[in-house]
Structures are given as structure tokens and as C-alpha cells.
Amino acid sequence: MVASGRCLFFLLLFLSFSLSNSKPVENPQFPCKPPTHNTYSFCNKSLPITRRAQSLISHLTLQEKIQQLSDNASGIPRLGIPHYEWWSESLHGISINGPGVSFKNGGPVTSATGFPQVIVSAASFNRTLWFLIGSAIAIEARAMYNVGQAGLTFWAPNINIFRDPRWGRGQETPGEDPMVASAYAIEFVKGFQGGHWKNGTETESTGRHGIGQKRVLLGEDGEINDDKLMLSACCKHSTAYDLEKWGNFSRYSFNAVVTEQDMEDTYQPPFRSCIQKGKASCLMCSYNEVNGVPACAREDLLQKTRTEWGFKGYITSDCDAVATIFEYQNYSKSPEDAVAIALKAGMDINCGTYVLRNAQSAVEKGKLQEEDIDQALHNLFSVQLRLGLFDGDPRKGQFGQLGPKNVCTKEHKTLALEAARQGIVLLKNDKKFLPLNKKDVSSLAIIGPLANKANSLGGDYAGYPCDPQSLFEGLKAYVKKTSYAIGCLDVACVSDTQFHKAIIVAKRAGFVIVVAGLDLSQETEDHDRVSLLLPGKQMSLVSSVAAASKKPVILVLTGGGPLDVSFAKGDPRIASILWIGYPGEAGANALAEIIFGEYNPGWWKIASDMVS
């Protein structure tokens, strides 16, 4: 039953992608079109949102209500309401994950700015930078919505605590510190949900490197308007989630045993801050159990967000997390029980089809009441109303002027470069080896399986970047005589057959840079690491190249998880170590600037002090 349930979900998900990509995208379809469908009360912009939401619910049959409880909400033709896809992603730029976004489907937008992975931007410890990244992504997202290539509801940021260093998704988070994660959540959500707009016009950034003053979405009285949203951000995944697949444990069945103090001191602060101060309009409940109860069934935690934290938004399950309540965790006695438990606990929408397939039966068996569904719909429709989805043609609204010209702009690409600059960390620099003087570098060698792969610099939940560039290409722009050797066939580096060529290249060069670390074959969703060492024979590659080089080498580390490179720290043949993580589309440029002294990176001592 477990396997068949998961297979069915992913089959349906595949079909949804296939169908969405089978025809060219169109301009956004919206309800309340004049003259036939704008006479309903829910289309009356002068009425309070609560009343409009109640009006909409009152027009629906039970079957129509149930069809709204999936991420791929069905249309209601008789009311002029088109289907809506809730699931779009924007972790560090508009992402290809999720069926709500389409880059390659005949639309005018084929790429979007690729910012550094979250763990890299977090290393800047710059709140204004986080706010501006959220703002820039929002502009591109709303622009894509206006041409029918994205939704209005995005499931980011990931603010789980990165406690286990082996976690494959730690790269998506601001790190292990609750204070830093909380601050990041607040700034990103404020920027993403519309904190940069005044009178419908984006103001220019000012200041060093384009990092300027924060800007807010204002109402007519000049106060922050919580009822209006440019886009919807989602705090995920609540809560105590930092395991994918390790040994006999998987994220679908793992029970996180957490003390009350650890819950309050560690795991909950980022979510509380995201909702109370960031004013997030969505919360996602996670796959795992928390102290024996599935996260999407924890009524005490989900309802607390509304009663104590003042949450005004909707709660979505992670994809197929309702199914896991029955099929993986055996917490409920039937599929109908799982659906009823989740909806009564406070979940409003199910990513997947499990609720669609079992809610009717749950109602008929008396396990679920229509009033429970109505409450979920009220939360869902209220967010859509705040987004202006029922206000008529969005291209005539406050954000209607945004379009392809607002994607991959010079300002956004400069911001991506600045984020990469500020996120890169200098871990070692013996005898002030860096920066190099470009005039003194007659030739350069860059070695490693990731050194010439532009698509490896984004990490997971990435999109199609505007101007992707490999590290080799970025450095060659500074030193024309730059050579490259792969060293290992891939990041797993199970063979040393390419070592000889790398050593020859290293011997011939004046200076040598070795790129080692992780990529998504080592850490990603549904995949944890089993060791903190460099994968395979990478350590041997670094040491072999360092021994052959005329001068001490520069070691560049990629990846979003911790690495034990103590061997390099104590090796005098390795003069400098730089951590670049997944630096995004501008990472190659940022690394070159740092190596040649055009930008000064953060020091590991400063960074470690700030998170201690």
C-alpha cells in the first residue's frame, strides 16, 4: 500500500508537469471577469476580505469545495473561476521545482536571476541583503505571473534548524542558529511579500554595491498594510525536520523526539518569528513525526500559530505528507481518518491528491464535517483575495506593469554578485598568500570535477540562471593562460585515473587552485550524507596536486554541508582555503574578485563568533 500510494502521487505529479508543458503558456487566467462573472459579492473589492471569502464558499457544492483542497485546485467554470496551482518555488530565485513555474513552455521568460543558496547568503550576516534578495525574487515572480509563467504562492523560505551536519537539505537553510534563522526568515518574507513597493513603484536601491534602504508596501494611510500581498511566502517545514534518508530512517517515518525546552529554544523560534514579525501568509507542516505525532496532525502546534502567534494565512502539507500519516507512520486507521485528522488539526491544503481522493468518503462516514472544509477554504481564499486574485485583470492592478523586462535585470544580477561576495568565507590564508597580484600571475591552473561546471553552482531548488558561468570561465577572464584538469571524473571520485593529468597541469602552472567538496550527488532532498570527509579520493587529489605545485595551492570548497578538511588546515602546501558553498550564477565572478583582491571576504573567526 505504501509503495502504491507514493507511486500514484508521483505519477499524477509527472502527468501534471507533462500536461502543463504540452502547450504554450498563456497570460494569467483570473476570476471576476466582466461582464458575466464580476457581479458576485466575492468580486466586490470594497467588501472586507472575510465577507468576500464567506461569499465565495457559500456558492460552492461539497464536491467543488473538496476539489479546492489540493495544490492543483480545480476550476469552477460556472462561477468563472479558473484552476489554480498553489505550488511554486523561490528558495533563492525562481525555481524549476514545482508545477506552478514554467520556463520552457513558449513563454517570454526563459531564465531568472540565480542567487546564492541560502546557507551562503546567511553567511553574510546581512539583514538588508536578505531583504533585498527576497524583494528581487518577488519582482521576477510577479513579472512571470503576469505572463502566465508562475503562480502567486511560493513555498519558501526553508527555515529548519540545520542541527545534523549530514542533512542533505541543510544547504537550503540559514544554518544551525535559531537567532540567525529567525532573522533571515523575517527579512526574506518581508521583502518577498511586498516590502519594497510604494504606490506600486519599485524604488531604486542606493548605497555601496546597490545595498540600500528597506522599503515597505504601504496602505493609503501610510501604514504597513497586512491585508495586501504582492506574493505569498511560506515558512517550511514545521517542525524539527532535518533528516532525509539515513540508515533505516527516512523523512516519511522518522520520529523526532524533542524536549519541550528544545522545542521552545531551538526549533520553534524561526517559525514564530517568520509568522509574528515577517507576517508570512503560509506555513508548511513536515513529513516527520514530532514526539510520536505526525507534524501535519499536531493540532497543538498548528492551531498555536493562529491562537498565540496571530497567523493570518493558510497551512499546506509537504507533498503527500497526509498520505504518510496512514501509509508510513500508521498513525491513523484508514485514509479517511488521516484526511480528517490533518484538516481538523489545522492543515488547509494537501500538496498531492490524497485529500481529493478520500475527503468525500471521510464526510460520508462522519469522520469529517463540511464545516471543517469550510474553515480550510476560508483560510485559502483569504490569502488569494489578499493577493488580488479576485480583483479582476492583474495586469491592470498595482503590479500589472511588471513583465519580462523586470527579470534578469542589471540590478538583480548585481545583487546576486554582491550576495556571493558577502557569503564566501576565507578559512585559511597563510602568510597573506591571498590576494594574488594579477600582474604576478603568468599562468593559472584550476583543477577539480566542479571547476568547469556552471550548473553545479546553484545547489538544489534552483532555476535557469540568467548568465551561468563556471569557475574556470570566471578565472580565465582574469588570467588568459588558465588551464583546467578534471582530476576526478565526478564528485564521488572513486578512481584516481585522472590524477596524472591533473598533476601535469599543476606542475606547468604558476599558481594552482583546487576545487573540492560537494554537489547534489552528495547532498540533496531525500539524500543525506554518511561522512563529513571529502567524498571518495578527493582528499588524495588535493594532497597530490599540492605536492606537485611549484607554489602552495588555493583550496576552494563547494557544497552546503560541513566538511572536515583538517588535513588541509595543517598542510603548509595549501596556503589558502575558501568556502564558496553554492554561490549562484555570479559565484565565479565573486571568487575571481576575491582571489585577485577586488573584494575582501569574511573571515572564519568572525563568522564563528557571530553564531556561537
Side-chain angles (χ1 to χ4, degrees):
M1 182 182 295
V2 171
S4 63
R6 296 295 297 172
C7 289
L8 178 60
F9 168 68
F10 284 111
L11 174 61
L12 290 169
L13 179 59
F14 171 77
L15 289 174
S16 72
F17 273 109
S18 299
L19 290 172
S20 66
N21 289 324
S22 62
K23 59 182 180 179
V25 295
E26 301 173 354
N27 288 327
Q29 300 299 306
F30 57 91
C32 299
K33 289 183 178 180
T36 56
H37 292 113
N38 66 336
T39 57
Y40 296 106
S41 296
F42 58 79
C43 295
N44 187 343
K45 293 186 285 186
S46 67
L47 294 177
I49 284 177
T50 295
R51 185 173 168 186
R52 295 174 71 187
Q54 291 169 345
S55 168
L56 178 50
I57 294 169
S58 71
H59 285 86
L60 305 182
T61 66
L62 175 60
Q63 188 59 36
E64 287 171 338
K65 291 176 180 179
I66 290 173
Q67 292 297 316
Q68 299 300 306
L69 300 179
S70 166
D71 66 282
N72 189 10
S74 298
I76 309 170
R78 66 184 181 85
L79 298 177
I81 299 175
H83 84 278
Y84 180 76
E85 177 56 69
W86 290 82
W87 180 9
S88 295
E89 299 280 359
S90 59
L91 183 69
H92 54 109
I94 309 302
S95 169
I96 59 175
N97 301 71
V101 171
S102 175
F103 281 107
K104 305 295 184 182
N105 198 15
V109 179
T110 58
S111 59
T113 309
F115 292 92
Q117 183 59 283
V118 176
I119 195 71
V120 180
S121 294
S124 70
F125 299 97
N126 186 334
R127 292 173 185 259
T128 304
L129 178 67
W130 303 334
F131 177 89
L132 292 177
I133 289 173
S135 299
I137 297 172
I139 292 167
E140 300 196 353
R142 191 82 195 204
M144 290 183 68
Y145 169 75
N146 285 346
V147 292
Q149 291 186 247
L152 293 171
T153 46
F154 289 77
W155 292 348
N158 181 342
I159 52 173
N160 290 118
I161 296 299
F162 191 4
R163 172 164 284 187
D164 191 322
R166 299 165 295 186
W167 186 30
R169 297 187 73 176
Q171 59 176 287
E172 301 175 26
T173 77
E176 77 279 11
D177 186 87
M179 183 184 71
V180 174
S182 298
Y184 180 88
I186 293 167
E187 300 302 330
F188 181 90
V189 170
K190 280 185 175 180
F192 188 78
Q193 291 195 157
H196 56 293
W197 284 86
K198 183 176 181 180
N199 299 324
T201 303
E202 182 193 9
T203 58
E204 294 294 327
S205 295
T206 58
R208 183 172 179 262
H209 301 299
I211 305 300
Q213 298 296 314
K214 298 181 182 179
R215 297 155 288 185
V216 295
L217 182 68
L218 301 177
E220 293 181 0
D221 57 357
E223 296 297 322
I224 295 177
N225 193 340
D226 289 340
D227 284 335
K228 296 293 184 180
L229 293 169
M230 180 181 183
L231 293 160
S232 171
C234 193
C235 316
K236 66 182 189 184
H237 316 75
S238 179
T239 189
Y241 167 46
D242 67 343
L243 181 143
E244 298 300 302
K245 189 175 182 180
W246 195 87
N248 295 324
F249 298 99
S250 81
R251 59 181 178 170
Y252 308 115
S253 58
F254 179 67
N255 178 30
V257 179
V258 187
T259 66
E260 183 177 353
Q261 179 175 342
D262 210 12
M263 185 71 78
E264 292 302 316
D265 289 351
T266 305
Y267 293 106
Q268 289 297 80
F271 291 99
R272 184 168 60 245
S273 296
C274 196
I275 289 170
Q276 287 185 327
K277 296 182 179 180
K279 304 294 183 182
S281 51
C282 170
L283 179 73
M284 177 183 285
C285 53
S286 55
Y287 290 116
N288 57 288
E289 294 178 283
V290 181
N291 295 330
V293 181
C296 290
R298 285 291 303 248
E299 182 176 1
D300 57 335
L301 295 180
L302 298 185
Q303 296 295 353
K304 183 178 183 178
T305 64
R306 300 188 188 280
T307 58
E308 296 185 21
W309 297 355
F311 178 48
K312 292 167 55 180
Y314 73 99
I315 297 176
T316 179
S317 75
D318 204 338
C319 292
D320 229 15
V322 180
T324 64
I325 294 175
F326 173 65
E327 296 186 357
Y328 273 75
Q329 295 156 347
N330 300 314
Y331 184 78
S332 66
K333 295 180 180 180
S334 69
E336 292 86 354
D337 285 320
V339 169
I341 288 170
L343 285 168
K344 288 177 181 291
M347 185 205 74
D348 301 310
I349 192 173
N350 169 219
C351 178
T353 63
Y354 205 71
V355 170
L356 294 184
R357 291 184 280 120
N358 295 292
Q360 181 77 42
S361 177
V363 172
E364 292 171 354
K365 293 180 179 181
K367 299 175 183 295
L368 182 67
Q369 284 69 50
E370 191 167 354
E371 290 78 9
D372 299 319
I373 296 175
D374 288 350
Q375 182 57 59
L377 293 178
H378 187 277
N379 295 331
L380 293 169
F381 291 147
S382 294
V383 170
Q384 288 184 326
L385 286 161
R386 293 170 65 193
L387 288 163
L389 193 60
F390 291 84
D391 291 350
D393 190 342
R395 291 163 298 181
K396 296 180 181 179
Q398 183 180 11
F399 310 107
Q401 77 275 25
L402 294 175
K405 69 181 185 302
N406 301 105
V407 182
C408 289
T409 63
K410 180 180 179 181
E411 181 183 24
H412 292 173
K413 289 188 283 189
T414 298
L415 182 62
L417 173 59
E418 181 61 22
R421 288 166 175 158
Q422 293 193 22
I424 292 175
V425 181
L426 182 65
L427 300 174
K428 176 184 178 182
N429 198 27
D430 281 354
K431 300 178 182 178
K432 299 181 180 180
F433 189 79
L434 291 179
L436 302 181
N437 187 331
K438 190 163 55 174
K439 296 179 181 179
D440 296 335
V441 182
S442 59
S443 61
L444 186 66
I446 182 166
I447 293 167
L450 295 176
N452 201 22
K453 289 184 178 181
N455 61 2
S456 69
L457 300 181
D460 66 0
Y461 281 78
Y464 296 111
C466 310
D467 298 317
Q469 188 181 47
S470 70
L471 300 179
F472 170 68
E473 291 169 329
L475 288 162
K476 193 171 184 178
Y478 280 71
V479 180
K480 290 185 178 181
K481 193 176 180 181
T482 296
S483 54
Y484 163 72
I486 194 168
C488 300
L489 292 176
D490 54 27
V491 172
C493 197
V494 296
S495 170
D496 59 4
T497 56
Q498 296 293 317
F499 281 24
H500 180 64
K501 292 181 181 178
I503 290 170
I504 292 175
V505 169
K507 285 181 177 179
R508 293 173 178 172
F511 289 85
V512 177
I513 299 170
V514 185
V515 181
L518 310 171
D519 69 354
L520 298 187
S521 70
Q522 307 298 309
E523 53 172 1
T524 189
E525 187 167 2
D526 214 18
H527 181 74
D528 290 328
R529 296 158 62 200
V530 297
S531 171
L532 299 185
L533 298 175
L534 289 171
K537 299 179 180 293
Q538 283 195 40
M539 186 188 307
S540 178
L541 172 67
V542 174
S543 296
S544 298
V545 170
S549 175
K550 301 172 186 176
K551 295 183 175 66
V553 303
I554 301 163
L555 175 61
V556 174
L557 299 174
T558 65
L563 288 165
D564 180 354
V565 290
S566 52
F567 80 97
K569 180 181 178 182
D571 189 340
R573 300 170 302 178
I574 300 171
S576 302
I577 306 175
L578 285 160
W579 176 79
I580 65 170
Y582 296 107
E585 69 172 70
N589 194 352
L591 177 64
E593 288 183 349
I594 287 170
I595 286 176
F596 290 102
E598 294 182 14
Y599 188 89
N600 193 33
W603 276 87
W604 72 271
K605 183 63 169 62
I606 297 173
S608 62
D609 285 347
M610 292 187 72
V611 298
S612 62

